[in-house]
Amino acid sequence: MISIDVNTASGGYPVYIGENLISSTVLWQRHLQRRPAFIVSNEVVAPHYLQHLLQALDGEPCGQLILPDGEQHKTTGIWRLIIDRLVQANATRDTVIIALGGGVIGDLAGFAASTYMRGIDVIQVPTTLLAQVDASVGGKTAVNHQAGKNLIGAFHQPTAVIADINTLNTLNEREYGAGLAEVVKYGAIRDAAFFDWLDNNAKLLGSRIPDAVLQAVKASVEHKAAVVAADEKEKGQRALLNFGHSFAHALETITRYQSLLHGEAVSIGMVAAARLSRQLGLCDQHAEKRLIRLLSGLGLPVAIPAEIDRQDIVSAMRLDKKNLDQVRRLILLRGIGDAFIAENIREADITTALKAPEAA
Ligand SMILES: NC(=O)c1ccc[n+]([C@@H]2O[C@H](COP(=O)([O-])OP(=O)(O)OC[C@H]3O[C@@H](n4cnc5c(N)ncnc54)[C@H](O)[C@@H]3O)[C@@H](O)[C@H]2O)c1
Ligand SMILES: [Zn+2]
């Protein structure tokens, strides 16, 4: 088992990464310390892992709530349901919420924990690769509003993250691949050596060989932890984690979140950002080519689907809430492992990059 400390102004906590951690009674005792636990999971994850968790806990939880599966349930209605169940279970300030699931459960249970009695503890038990390398670490919690994703939320750090890599074995190919896109992102923005390692271990990672998965999750969490420690509330450098994401959000909006998983959209978005960087003379085409080769080797899409109008992407990007004060901010590359926040990018340049052919 590996343990990584996340240190933020609002508190520090460990992220444990390893095999069969859900069943580790020692870990649960250490972090619950006989306090009552309230489990939040969903109907897909619970049949696989809830029993393991219940067996590892000392005694019964004070409550458990198994939610329907899917992003469409990341709503204030379900948040309210969690609060209602906490009330029914007589949860107190001492109660610890255990979030067992992917990023949707983590965000929902985390937001409920941040609001119930002005904030109670939450332990994140991420069961998707995306949640292990990204969503469970850093303290962002949210639910969606009709007007947009994650519009209602809070920063609320967990008291521990227990990332059991064995849970990834039941994930389907696409969900697993989508998580790999965020793993590649860390190499692309701040760690050329890790990017090389990913290049060399792509096959092992693709086949979910435990040692390779462990190394990839470890390096990713270290990067996320370092960025979050330096910039908990996303005032500056944390924005680097949005590499590829302005393009990705536009693609997700245009396709109404139906055809591309978030990580797949990020994969295409990172390639678009690398292409724009190359076109602006910021980096050579080697970076773009390497990104394309690694991502496609991992089974991820790298090209914008043919049926999507390039101009629609630019329009959607214009409306992205993350573009502060109309300044077109984008995360661009100077090379693999070297991303920076670029400002005042001209729309015409983005359009040209989106229409340009891939680096041959
Ligand atoms: N808080 C943050 O910092 C942050 C960061 C990134 C993403 N997010 C949020 O995370 C969500 C996406 O997370 P996600 O990709 O984990 O999606 P998800 O939680 O919807 O999980 C994807 C699918 O896999 C299933 N699943 C989960 N674990 C499984 C397992 N071990 N075996 C089999 N199936 C399993 C889920 O039930 C779901 O159907 C989005 O809502 C996004 O906004 C939050
Ligand atoms: Zn992302």
Side-chain angles (χ1 to χ4, degrees):
M1 180 181 79
I2 291 166
S3 170
I4 296 164
D5 286 319
V6 184
N7 296 302
T8 68
S10 49
Y13 53 94
V15 179
Y16 302 102
I17 307 162
E19 295 194 64
N20 299 314
L21 297 189
I22 289 181
S23 303
S24 168
T25 302
V26 176
L27 276 187
W28 290 113
Q29 279 173 343
R30 185 183 307 165
H31 287 285
L32 287 174
Q33 304 197 323
R34 298 183 180 281
R35 290 180 297 163
F38 186 97
I39 301 168
V40 180
S41 189
N42 79 17
E43 64 199 7
V44 172
V45 178
H48 291 295
Y49 306 109
L50 183 60
Q51 273 313 316
H52 298 285
L53 172 58
L54 291 171
Q55 275 162 18
L57 296 179
D58 260 349
E60 292 285 305
C62 72
Q64 61 189 49
L65 177 57
I66 308 304
L67 297 169
D69 180 42
E71 178 78 31
Q72 70 273 26
H73 300 292
K74 211 175 95 172
T75 59
T76 49
I78 296 285
W79 163 78
R80 175 66 197 261
L81 176 67
I82 303 173
I83 301 291
D84 288 345
R85 293 299 180 83
L86 285 165
V87 173
Q88 278 169 22
N90 297 313
T92 65
R93 294 201 46 81
D94 231 20
T95 303
V96 182
I97 295 185
I98 298 176
L100 174 69
V104 168
I105 288 297
D107 273 9
L108 269 167
F111 184 54
S114 80
T115 45
Y116 188 69
M117 294 187 164
R118 299 196 184 85
I120 62 173
D121 286 353
V122 59
I123 297 177
Q124 294 284 352
V125 187
T127 61
T128 63
L129 184 56
L130 183 129
Q132 295 191 354
V133 301
D134 186 0
S136 64
V137 179
K140 281 190 185 177
T141 73
V143 295
N144 301 328
H145 183 274
Q146 272 169 337
K149 257 178 71 87
N150 299 328
L151 277 189
I152 308 157
F155 283 95
H156 187 65
Q157 301 291 343
T159 54
V161 178
I162 298 180
D164 184 334
I165 62 165
N166 288 129
T167 61
L168 305 181
N169 292 331
T170 50
L171 264 190
N172 69 38
E173 280 298 320
R174 279 187 75 194
E175 294 289 357
Y176 181 73
L180 287 177
E182 303 280 3
V183 172
V184 170
K185 181 186 78 179
Y186 294 113
I189 63 173
R190 64 199 306 275
D191 190 347
F194 180 48
F195 196 94
D196 290 343
W197 182 90
L198 289 169
D199 248 346
N200 294 329
N201 291 276
K203 282 222 165 61
L204 299 178
L205 258 186
S207 336
R208 307 185 206 188
I209 302 301
D211 198 44
V213 175
L214 187 73
Q215 294 310 318
V217 175
K218 170 179 180 274
S220 301
V221 169
E222 282 170 348
H223 282 298
K224 176 103 193 223
V227 173
V228 166
D231 179 20
E232 184 179 3
K233 304 261 164 91
E234 200 167 327
K235 304 251 185 279
Q237 291 299 302
R238 190 164 176 170
L240 292 182
L241 299 174
N242 293 329
F243 177 56
H245 280 60
S246 296
F247 294 98
H249 291 150
L251 289 169
E252 290 179 290
T253 306
I254 293 167
T255 55
R256 300 207 185 92
Y257 296 90
Q258 297 298 312
S259 53
L260 291 168
L261 294 178
H262 173 69
E264 294 170 338
V266 168
S267 176
I268 297 169
M270 290 192 292
V271 171
R275 182 161 312 151
L276 177 58
S277 308
R278 179 210 349 138
Q279 200 174 276
L280 293 173
L282 296 162
C283 73
D284 58 23
Q285 63 170 10
H286 192 54
E288 181 190 348
K289 280 188 189 173
R290 288 193 68 199
L291 206 47
I292 290 175
R293 195 181 60 202
L294 177 56
L295 291 166
S296 32
L298 293 168
L300 283 154
V302 291
I304 300 164
E307 65 276 15
I308 294 181
D309 184 336
R310 299 335 191 225
Q311 204 54 51
D312 287 350
I313 302 176
V314 182
S315 308
M317 287 172 76
R318 197 182 299 138
L319 298 172
D320 192 327
K321 66 179 175 352
K322 290 204 167 117
N323 285 308
L324 305 169
D325 305 327
Q326 309 295 320
V327 176
R328 187 152 294 283
R329 293 173 115 209
L330 278 176
I331 311 306
L332 296 181
L333 292 184
R334 293 197 187 91
I336 292 295
D338 187 7
F340 69 103
I341 304 170
E343 312 234 344
N344 296 314
I345 301 296
R346 290 169 41 210
E347 222 170 85
D349 288 329
I350 299 176
T351 311
T352 313
L354 291 174
K355 290 184 176 161
E358 283 175 16

